[in-house]
Amino acid sequence: MPLTKRAVSPVDVSKGQIPREVNREELQYVANSTLANLIRQLSSLSKHAEHIFGEIYHDAMKLDHKSNTLQQRIDRLKAKVIQLDSCNEQASLDELQMRKPFKSSMLVDQHTLDRITLPTALAEVYSRCDRPPNLDALNPYRESDAVSALSLYTNPSFFFDLWRMEMLKDCNDNRRRVKSPVGQGGKSPKKKEFELNNRT
């Protein structure tokens, strides 16, 4: 379903009912109301332009921060590579196995489509929506499970939970596939092939 992110209002600048108090000079009333609606449109347009430029500035600041951190990492790596000497520093296999595996310090943003990350225009549209009914008042009467009554009506994390269940199911299926050849016959296919080659 398409969602309007920004809408310039009012849409109909000249459409409106003339009040009963205006008995004469209806054309002047229509001209004045049209001019006032045009000013309102310009105000709405300038507000949307401010939001657009604010988002562009925010994205540019994020891109600048990422490029600066990447440049710092490249400089540190370059300094380490220059200091290395392949002739003198040769690590043994035992030393390599004793080293800890690499762990990145970068934080991955996993909640890209969260309510906190809504653009300003969509946050305003969301704030004008009707609130969900107060179904949490029915929670004391739910004895079968601990699920909130409101989550049965609206659950923002429904698709994330569904994706997580599918991922966990795939992981469990992969583990069973890896364990099943050894568990069923007692020997893995590679071990059986090795024994057959050694007999001949």
Side-chain angles (χ1 to χ4, degrees), residues 15 19 32 39 50 84 86 88 93 114 145 148 163 171-172:
K15 189 177 181 181
N32 288 339
I39 293 171
E50 181 188 358
L84 287 177
S86 60
N88 298 332
L93 188 61
D114 199 16
D145 52 7
S148 173
W163 172 81
C171 289
N172 290 336

Side-chain angles (χ1 to χ4, degrees), residues 18-171:
I18 299 174
R20 293 180 180 178
E21 295 84 23
V22 180
N23 296 328
R24 294 185 299 174
E25 298 178 350
E26 292 91 355
L27 291 176
Q28 186 177 0
Y29 174 80
V30 171
N32 288 339
S33 63
T34 302
L35 185 61
N37 286 335
L38 284 172
I39 293 171
R40 288 192 189 100
Q41 263 194 355
L42 286 173
S43 172
S44 177
L45 189 64
S46 65
K47 184 183 75 171
H48 291 316
E50 181 188 358
H51 289 166
I52 289 170
F53 284 117
E55 288 177 8
I56 291 172
Y57 174 76
H58 183 65
D59 291 342
M61 290 297 291
K62 280 169 58 178
L63 188 63
D64 180 58
H65 176 68
K66 285 182 180 180
S67 60
N68 284 339
T69 53
L70 186 62
Q71 185 63 44
Q72 290 172 4
R73 290 175 67 190
I74 290 171
D75 293 341
R76 286 197 303 266
L77 183 63
K78 186 177 179 182
K80 284 183 180 179
V81 168
I82 290 171
Q83 291 174 359
L84 287 177
D85 189 6
S86 60
C87 300
N88 298 332
E89 297 180 8
Q90 288 188 354
S92 64
L93 188 61
D94 293 335
E95 290 178 2
L96 291 175
Q97 289 178 353
M98 291 298 290
R99 286 184 183 175
K100 291 182 179 179
F102 173 76
K103 185 178 180 182
S104 176
S105 60
M106 298 292 292
L107 296 174
V108 180
D109 187 10
Q110 296 181 345
H111 297 282
T112 308
L113 301 178
D114 199 16
R115 198 172 293 171
I116 303 168
T117 60
L118 271 178
T120 312
L122 285 180
E124 288 179 0
V125 173
Y126 182 79
S127 65
R128 287 196 300 266
C129 294
D130 295 335
R131 297 282 128 198
N134 188 17
L135 295 177
D136 286 333
L138 300 174
N139 286 342
Y141 305 104
R142 291 188 54 82
E143 299 175 356
S144 59
D145 52 7
V147 178
S148 173
L150 185 62
S151 66
L152 298 174
Y153 177 80
T154 173
N155 187 7
S157 62
F158 173 76
F159 292 105
F160 176 75
D161 294 338
L162 187 67
W163 172 81
R164 185 182 63 185
M165 285 168 41
E166 289 292 326
M167 291 296 109
L168 290 174
K169 183 180 171 187
D170 289 345
C171 289

Side-chain angles (χ1 to χ4, degrees), residues 182-200:
V182 178
Q184 290 174 356
K187 296 177 182 176
S188 64
K190 290 184 178 179
K191 194 169 183 181
K192 287 180 180 178
E193 184 181 348
F194 176 73
E195 289 179 358
L196 287 173
N197 290 337
N198 286 342
R199 285 179 190 171
T200 57

